[in-house]
Amino acid sequence: MHMDIRQLRYFVTLAETRHFGRAAELLHIAQPALSQQIKQLENELQVELLDRSTRPVGLTSAGISLLREGREILSKVARAEALTRQESRKNGGRLVIGVTGTAALEFAVPVLRAFGKRRPNVQISLREMSSPDQLAALERGHIHIGFVRPPVEDERISIRLVHTEPFCVALPADHLQAQRDSIRLAELNGTSLVIFARDEAPGFRDLMLHVCRSAGYVPKTIQDAPQMTTMLCLVGGGFGCALVPVSARHLAIPGVVYRPLLDYSPLVELYAAWMPDKHAPFISELLDVIEKIQVSTG
């Protein structure tokens, strides 16, 4: 004898509704398929469960007994499934993280390593995205938390400052100023500037331009690029210099050198961003890991 949970659920639904059509509708299957499954169950048990001569459909004594036991079995199955999911959320699960390219270079690595040690059963999905794309993905529920550059103007999104770093200059290796140990931006007058496109990182772009203007740097031309690696490839190709966070130095692009700035400039800020109303898993723990790393390195 073999009776699976699906057949038992079909029978209990039919026994409670006493109507094949209604039961099939509730179960989202065709009525002939339901009839076939119930008949197969009766054949396997070698008993008649239904009195098909009445309207609504009646139950035999065997059917009444199976209904009583079936309800209890299905209740236990549902409880077991709920407890399993609860335990999975506690000890496992999945966390989808958005991150900008430069944040992934330096900030994200120790954070992910520390979080992985705390929650080894949690699957981490890391998605490199621009800040505007991350904010849109948070709203749609495509990521649980993002690490973005300001500004964040949507009041529904919670943010927390998690990392700051200074700017440096990326130069073509054959640029005259590349031989210097450190650089003032005004010394680059006449050199073209490679910078983030506005739709990719509007806040970051505005900050870069502010730093350049404040330092008296007037670029020959301005060339947009969609991503940090694209910017640095253009720099390596001799198309200009770029103002980048110091973490970009981890990108070893042929023909590119990185030099510290002598000019005063604001720090580059990175914020954690999440939707508090979506109750995404593990966010508080990830933020706690970040805070502990900041304290230990501060």
Side-chain angles (χ1 to χ4, degrees):
M1 181 187 73
H2 173 72
M3 175 176 61
D4 61 32
I5 293 298
R6 183 187 60 172
Q7 288 177 326
L8 186 59
R9 185 173 288 114
Y10 286 177
F11 170 74
V12 169
T13 302
L14 176 58
E16 290 177 341
T17 60
R18 305 294 179 93
H19 192 281
F20 275 94
R22 178 60 179 153
E25 182 180 343
L26 291 172
L27 293 166
H28 304 290
I29 62 173
Q31 184 173 330
L34 175 60
S35 299
Q36 182 180 1
Q37 287 295 320
I38 297 299
K39 191 62 179 176
Q40 183 178 338
L41 177 59
E42 288 179 316
N43 292 337
E44 289 170 349
L45 296 176
Q46 297 181 350
V47 297
E48 288 191 357
L49 299 171
L50 303 177
D51 182 358
R52 293 171 172 81
S53 65
T54 62
R55 291 292 183 273
V57 175
L59 296 178
T60 64
S61 59
I64 293 172
S65 177
L66 183 59
L67 175 59
R68 181 175 60 251
E69 297 297 326
R71 282 170 170 165
E72 185 174 346
I73 291 170
L74 292 176
S75 176
K76 289 182 178 179
V77 169
R79 183 171 181 274
E81 289 175 346
L83 289 174
T84 301
R85 284 193 295 267
Q86 181 179 343
E87 193 65 21
S88 175
R89 285 193 295 268
K90 185 188 302 182
N91 297 313
R94 184 166 180 251
L95 182 62
V96 185
I97 302 172
V99 64
T100 65
T102 49
L105 295 174
E106 186 170 275
F107 164 80
V109 173
V111 170
L112 294 176
R113 182 182 294 116
F115 183 80
K117 290 180 179 178
R118 178 184 289 200
R119 287 290 190 183
N121 296 324
V122 175
Q123 178 187 354
I124 297 294
S125 179
L126 196 63
R127 300 181 182 177
E128 185 176 342
M129 310 167 72
S130 69
S131 294
D133 285 346
Q134 286 187 64
L135 298 177
L138 282 171
E139 184 178 355
R140 298 185 186 115
H142 293 169
I143 62 174
H144 296 132
I145 188 169
F147 292 98
V148 302
R149 305 294 184 189
V152 180
E153 298 173 344
D154 190 334
E155 295 182 354
R156 297 170 301 168
I157 297 178
S158 295
I159 60 173
R160 181 185 297 182
L161 180 65
V162 294
H163 186 64
T164 59
E165 58 181 312
F167 279 111
C168 68
V169 179
L171 291 167
D174 59 358
H175 192 281
L176 181 63
Q177 300 298 329
Q179 308 307 314
R180 305 279 298 274
D181 292 333
S182 53
I183 293 175
R184 293 191 183 278
L185 284 174
E187 297 168 343
L188 298 176
N189 279 339
T191 300
S192 296
L193 176 67
V194 183
I195 195 169
F196 276 117
R198 178 163 296 280
D199 58 348
E200 291 292 331
F204 209 7
R205 177 190 174 94
D206 289 343
L207 179 60
M208 290 174 172
L209 290 174
H210 169 72
V211 171
C212 291
R213 285 193 296 265
S214 298
Y217 166 43
V218 181
K220 178 181 179 181
T221 61
I222 293 179
Q223 180 161 349
D224 291 348
Q227 299 291 340
M228 180 65 67
T229 50
T230 310
M231 288 173 55
L232 294 174
C233 285
L234 289 170
V235 171
F239 289 89
C241 66
L243 200 62
V244 297
V246 294
S247 56
R249 69 185 185 278
H250 296 296
L251 289 171
I253 305 295
V256 177
V257 297
Y258 302 94
R259 296 291 180 262
L261 279 178
L262 290 172
D263 305 284
Y264 169 78
S265 68
L267 295 174
V268 183
E269 296 179 331
L270 183 72
Y271 286 84
W274 68 97
M275 299 287 288
D277 61 332
K278 293 189 182 298
H279 307 292
F282 310 114
I283 286 179
S284 60
E285 287 193 65
L286 183 64
L287 294 174
D288 183 59
V289 165
I290 293 170
E291 184 175 349
K292 283 181 169 55
I293 289 175
Q294 290 173 328
V295 170
S296 65
T297 58

